[in-house]
Amino acid sequence: MQSKRALARPKPQHRARLSGLVLLCGVLLGGCDSAQWNNPYPAWQQGENILYSSFSSRPKHLDPVRAYSSNEYSFIGQIYEPPLQYHYLKRPFQLVPLTAAQMPKLTYLDAAGSQLPADAPVDTVAYSVYEIQIRPGIRYQPHPAFARDPQGALHYQQLSEEDLANVRGLADFTHTGSRELVAADYVYQIKRLAHPRLHSPIQGLMSEYIVGLDAYATTLAEAYAKQIEQDPSQRWLDLRKFDLQGVEVVDEYTYRITIHGKYPQLRYWLAMPFFAPMPWEAERFYAQPGMQDRNISLDWYPVGTGAYMLTANNPNRQMVLERNPNFHPQYYPSQGDPGDAERGLLEDAGKPLPFIDKVIYSLEKEGIPYWNKFLQGYYDVSGVTSDSFDQAIQFGSQGEAVLTPLMQNKGIELETAVRMSTFYMGFNMLDPVVGGDSERARLLRRAISIAVDYEDFISIFANGRGIAAQGAIPPGIFGHVEGQAAINSYVYEWRDGRAQRKPISEAKSLLAQAGYPNGRDAETGRPLLIHLDIPGGGPEDKAIFDWLRKQFRKIDLELVIRNTDYNRFQEKMRDGNAQLFQWGWNADYPDPENFLFLLYGPNGKVKHGGENAANYDNPEFNRMFNMMKSMDDTQQRFDIIQQMNDIARHDAPWLWGFHPKEYILHHGWYSNVKANLMAQNTLMYKRIDPQLREQKRRAWNQPLVWPVLVVLLILLASIVPAVITYRRKEQAAARQRAKQ
């Protein structure tokens, strides 16, 4: 007979169920002290010196002779090094040497080739010669293009299809090498501006200035066509065999650029990737048959001397920058603007760069997932979209933007800056109604300029992130003026210490003077229709379209919006078939010439294919532009700019629009943050504190286990009665058997 103790013991399967539940509870509770369950990154990255960012689409070009978009520059600016750079901290923006040993030596020559003094009149300067000396000892990143065999020959420059059979990416090449940066690499890159296969976006502009570049493009086109005719697989044209008149190697570390006339803006171009070095070995390596088919090209794998190198390019997942082990000595600046020291921006003064070891860019096509991950600490820096604005930003008593308590409690910091951009609506000055220099058309343009309330637009659609423009030049650029002296007196008046838009009654009066009382043609009685052309435009733009129509209805005008795809829009602009259009411009460099040339007659889009989309052509404005563009930043240049502003405001070829503000949020562990909207290589100055980041991530992402525990308790509550009932039945059956 079994003992009563034996009769009460649960069966093994019940003990297993209970043990499993207990074990599961232990695992869940133990997980509270381990890594965050929602961490999108592998465990080995915890505490590592890695910056996390994102991209929404793969950059189209990473070749510095072709790239010209901000999403492309965010990568190549860290990889390629032109001779000059912008000082990271000083404002106004100041050029300083990067790979150059010092600032370029500039010499002016007359038509006979004789040297002129530095203050020679502009009209006597036939040529400007820039002599650039680079620092010795700078080396390229490790790359297969530089790998050499034991005999000293380049290892991967005669690859066959068989050699490439197992190659899928750059990492599949076993050997890498490097070499020193030399002046010839800079000359080679400038020659590439004229390469017929590359179609550099600045070839046309630079052909106007660099001596011989236009003819050089013809020479290369003929040579390349002949080479392809002889061997269609031979895509590499060795530019070392073709001399360029205006660019020459002086010695191993020195080269010269000779340009027509005086063009001070060239110094700004020398801080852009277009003028970064290109080793001939890299171009030859990538030009081999079979490489392009495998996406092994300069557009996928750049080759530079910068602080970082691109080690992974997976457009469907991640792009990765890693510290260049061959990076030459660069140091964090020891001087900045007043207040920079108090903000902690000089704590790393004199320390070697870069501070961050790796940057991982993850594909994020939508803004909301990125924002949520930023709040969780999984991204280090974030912009502020309209969807997240109210959660992040509020306005103080003086109208200043400040962080919400939620952001402050997380230790998030805000950095703001007015972008060196302008967004505007332009009138096609070739249009028979709104264009031309008649007083009738001019008054019509002024009336519309008053009616379209950009302050209201900024408030509604940009969350206050912008400044209504008084002219073409944004803040931070020489010639921009603040205060009462800056206002466009045709649209604004100075009241109560600020610029205020003139009343609608004045706009209606101007409209009547123009011959359109109550929005109707005084001669025909027909209502005046204004046509606005814009590129694209989806359902999300309906609110903006409704707002625009409302602005025109304020002065009894009807606005017809014609939105087309971008290619069709560009065609309309080239042909002059638009009446009113929306456009914008981001500064290439911080000089007023880069904005005022948008109104220079010989840059007209229809007649000359230039960037003057309004086709504005005022002879006096053109004359002053030609004087101003080649001048140094003197009082005389400043005065000329103000006169040009007055002329343009009087003629009103644009509704001057607004200059947008940029809002950047970053976590407290991300330091050395100062908005620099011109520099491309700012990543090397940034620092992160990985330990603080890990601490905050753990605090913000504690697993929420109580719902799981509640479910487990419910399961236990449902199992225990079943076990008890089963045990009772077993005990009853056992007693019955014992009686028998």
Side-chain angles (χ1 to χ4, degrees):
M1 183 182 295
Q2 293 175 314
S3 69
K4 292 183 178 180
R5 183 180 180 86
L7 290 173
R9 184 179 302 128
K11 289 220 170 182
Q13 61 265 35
H14 299 309
R15 293 200 301 271
R17 290 175 185 171
L18 290 170
S19 299
L21 288 170
V22 172
L23 178 62
L24 181 58
C25 290
V27 170
L28 290 171
L29 292 172
C32 296
D33 295 324
S34 62
Q36 306 89 11
W37 294 355
N38 60 346
N39 193 334
Y41 309 117
W44 67 264
Q45 292 182 6
Q46 293 180 26
E48 293 294 313
N49 187 18
I50 299 173
L51 177 68
Y52 295 95
S53 189
S54 74
F55 66 101
S56 58
S57 61
R58 188 189 77 83
K60 184 177 181 181
H61 296 299
L62 295 178
D63 182 339
V65 84
R66 305 175 76 182
Y68 207 11
S69 298
S70 57
N71 70 325
E72 297 165 343
Y73 274 23
S74 64
F75 290 97
I76 68 173
Q78 325 309 322
I79 298 167
Y80 289 106
E81 292 189 300
L84 304 181
Q85 64 178 333
Y86 290 96
H87 193 287
Y88 181 57
L89 297 177
K90 289 187 177 180
R91 306 292 182 274
F93 293 104
Q94 177 180 325
L95 288 171
V96 294
L98 180 52
T99 59
Q102 61 271 325
M103 294 299 289
K105 178 184 176 183
L106 178 58
T107 304
Y108 298 124
L109 304 177
D110 62 18
S114 300
Q115 185 171 339
L116 296 170
D119 59 352
V122 172
D123 56 1
T124 66
V125 177
Y127 303 101
S128 300
V129 182
Y130 291 78
E131 185 170 286
I132 303 159
Q133 183 178 4
I134 63 171
R135 288 187 283 154
I138 298 173
R139 298 186 65 81
Y140 284 98
Q141 68 183 67
H143 194 277
F146 303 120
R148 294 184 178 272
D149 61 23
Q151 289 72 43
L154 290 169
H155 199 86
Y156 296 119
Q157 297 291 359
Q158 298 292 333
L159 297 173
S160 65
E161 187 60 35
E162 183 180 354
D163 294 328
L164 294 173
N166 297 318
V167 172
R168 296 293 177 268
L170 201 66
D172 292 328
F173 292 97
T174 306
H175 305 286
T176 62
S178 180
R179 73 160 169 83
E180 187 180 22
L181 171 69
V182 293
D185 299 332
Y186 284 98
V187 172
Y188 195 90
Q189 169 69 353
I190 297 172
K191 291 179 176 180
R192 296 180 78 235
L193 295 175
H195 198 297
R197 184 173 57 84
L198 298 177
H199 306 292
S200 176
I202 68 166
Q203 177 191 340
L205 174 64
M206 287 302 145
S207 293
E208 298 178 20
Y209 292 105
I210 297 177
V211 173
L213 187 63
D214 196 29
Y216 191 71
T218 302
T219 299
L220 294 188
E222 294 172 352
Y224 189 65
K226 183 177 180 180
Q227 179 175 290
I228 292 297
E229 182 180 352
Q230 295 173 349
D231 183 1
S233 67
Q234 181 55 266
R235 298 172 62 248
W236 181 54
L237 184 65
D238 189 354
L239 304 185
R240 297 174 299 170
K241 298 178 180 179
F242 303 90
D243 292 332
L244 173 55
Q245 181 183 356
V247 185
E248 60 179 321
V249 175
V250 177
D251 58 41
E252 190 172 13
Y253 303 113
T254 310
Y255 66 104
R256 289 195 191 107
I257 304 173
T258 302
I259 65 170
H260 293 290
K262 188 175 180 181
Y263 182 54
Q265 292 77 19
L266 183 69
R267 66 189 189 272
Y268 296 119
W269 289 104
L270 293 176
M272 297 181 70
F274 292 113
F275 287 83
M278 178 57 64
W280 66 267
E281 299 95 330
E283 191 174 56
R284 181 182 176 188
F285 171 80
Y286 286 124
Q288 295 177 89
M291 291 293 211
Q292 193 71 37
D293 297 337
R294 293 166 170 80
N295 285 327
I296 302 176
S297 67
L298 280 168
D299 274 336
W300 280 74
Y301 298 105
V303 186
T305 61
Y308 293 95
M309 55 186 188
L310 188 67
T311 57
N313 188 350
N314 182 349
N316 297 317
R317 184 171 176 268
Q318 282 186 343
M319 298 178 71
V320 179
L321 292 175
E322 295 189 53
R323 181 193 293 262
N324 175 8
N326 296 341
F327 187 53
H328 55 97
Q330 281 282 317
Y331 303 96
Y332 192 88
S334 299
Q335 295 180 334
D337 286 339
D340 282 351
E342 290 75 9
R343 295 176 57 199
L345 289 170
L346 291 175
E347 291 180 2
D348 288 321
K351 294 181 180 179
L353 303 172
F355 297 121
I356 296 170
D357 294 334
K358 180 185 290 190
V359 188
I360 297 178
Y361 299 84
S362 300
L363 179 64
E364 292 282 4
K365 294 185 177 181
E366 303 294 335
I368 292 177
Y370 184 98
W371 174 250
N372 290 334
K373 290 176 186 176
F374 170 72
L375 294 182
Q376 292 170 312
Y378 296 127
Y379 285 122
D380 301 303
V381 62
S382 174
V384 183
T385 65
S386 296
D387 292 332
S388 61
F389 190 87
D390 290 340
Q391 191 177 3
I393 305 295
Q394 60 188 13
F395 290 97
S397 58
Q398 303 300 317
E400 73 281 8
V402 296
L403 291 169
T404 61
L406 172 64
M407 299 295 107
Q408 295 180 39
N409 291 338
K410 282 181 169 287
I412 292 173
E413 299 176 20
L414 172 66
E415 184 76 15
T416 67
V418 179
R419 286 169 51 187
M420 292 196 173
S421 308
T422 188
F423 290 97
Y424 64 92
M425 281 197 285
F427 297 99
N428 179 10
M429 298 298 281
L430 302 178
D431 183 81
V433 177
V434 301
D437 60 357
S438 69
E439 187 66 12
R440 175 187 178 110
R442 191 177 294 113
L443 292 173
L444 171 60
R445 294 194 295 268
R446 289 183 194 166
I448 294 174
S449 298
I450 294 172
V452 180
D453 189 342
Y454 269 101
E455 288 83 1
D456 191 52
F457 180 91
I458 294 167
S459 175
I460 295 174
F461 298 107
N463 302 108
R465 289 172 290 177
I467 298 174
Q470 304 293 331
I473 302 175
I477 290 183
F478 184 82
H480 177 83
V481 180
E482 300 283 351
Q484 185 172 0
I487 68 169
N488 177 2
S489 60
Y490 298 99
V491 177
Y492 292 88
E493 52 193 18
W494 192 261
R495 297 197 311 269
D496 301 326
R498 62 188 180 91
Q500 299 191 44
R501 191 170 291 269
K502 290 188 174 183
I504 290 298
S505 59
E506 182 157 345
K508 288 185 174 183
S509 174
L510 293 173
L511 196 63
Q513 294 175 51
Y516 303 101
N518 300 316
R520 292 179 175 271
D521 190 310
E523 297 178 1
T524 66
R526 294 176 181 175
L528 177 61
L529 300 181
I530 302 295
H531 295 85
L532 170 66
D533 280 278
I534 63 166
E540 67 279 3
D541 293 321
K542 181 180 182 302
I544 295 178
F545 295 164
D546 290 343
W547 180 89
L548 285 168
R549 295 186 185 100
K550 178 182 176 182
Q551 304 306 299
F552 280 76
R553 282 198 296 270
K554 289 189 297 188
I555 54 174
D556 304 313
L557 294 180
E558 289 297 320
L559 179 68
V560 179
I561 297 176
R562 303 183 296 200
N563 55 315
T564 57
D565 66 82
Y566 190 62
N567 290 334
R568 174 60 179 146
F569 174 77
Q570 287 186 309
E571 182 181 341
K572 282 187 173 184
M573 299 303 295
R574 286 193 297 268
D575 295 341
N577 290 332
Q579 186 176 56
L580 183 65
F581 59 90
Q582 283 189 329
W583 209 281
W585 184 259
N586 294 317
D588 290 312
Y589 43 83
D591 190 270
E593 178 266 351
N594 194 231
F595 285 90
L596 295 174
F597 90 118
L598 299 171
L599 295 169
Y600 178 52
N603 280 339
K605 186 166 288 292
V606 173
K607 293 183 180 179
H608 308 285
E611 295 296 341
N612 178 357
N615 301 296
Y616 176 61
D617 192 3
N618 181 300
E620 183 62 11
F621 185 96
N622 296 342
R623 185 186 69 81
M624 290 187 172
F625 178 85
N626 284 321
M627 291 174 55
M628 177 278 305
K629 69 176 184 178
S630 300
M631 297 176 68
D632 296 322
D633 289 344
T634 61
Q635 184 63 45
Q636 183 184 7
R637 191 186 199 209
F638 180 87
D639 293 340
I640 292 174
I641 291 170
Q642 304 317 308
Q643 294 176 53
M644 294 173 68
N645 278 333
D646 290 341
I647 293 171
R649 290 165 179 161
H650 173 267
D651 290 344
W654 289 3
L655 278 75
W656 299 101
F658 71 103
H659 308 302
K661 280 186 178 180
E662 190 167 274
Y663 284 28
I664 298 296
L665 301 175
H666 64 90
H667 287 289
W669 58 75
Y670 185 58
S671 56
N672 294 341
V673 180
K674 183 174 183 178
N676 190 322
L677 304 179
M678 295 308 306
Q680 312 296 338
N681 61 339
T682 59
L683 185 57
M684 66 180 177
Y685 298 102
K686 308 295 176 51
R687 178 192 286 280
I688 58 172
D689 183 340
Q691 287 71 37
L692 177 60
R693 177 173 62 192
E694 191 61 31
Q695 174 189 335
K696 294 294 186 182
R697 281 181 178 177
R698 289 181 178 275
W700 297 340
N701 297 281
Q702 286 295 319
L704 194 61
V705 298
W706 68 262
V708 180
L709 294 177
V710 169
V711 172
L712 290 174
L713 289 174
I714 292 173
L715 288 174
L716 284 170
S718 64
I719 291 174
V720 169
V723 171
I724 294 173
T725 301
Y726 181 83
R727 286 170 56 192
R728 286 175 177 172
K729 289 182 179 180
E730 287 290 300
Q731 289 171 354
R735 285 194 293 269
Q736 185 64 32
R737 288 193 297 271
K739 289 179 181 180
Q740 295 174 353

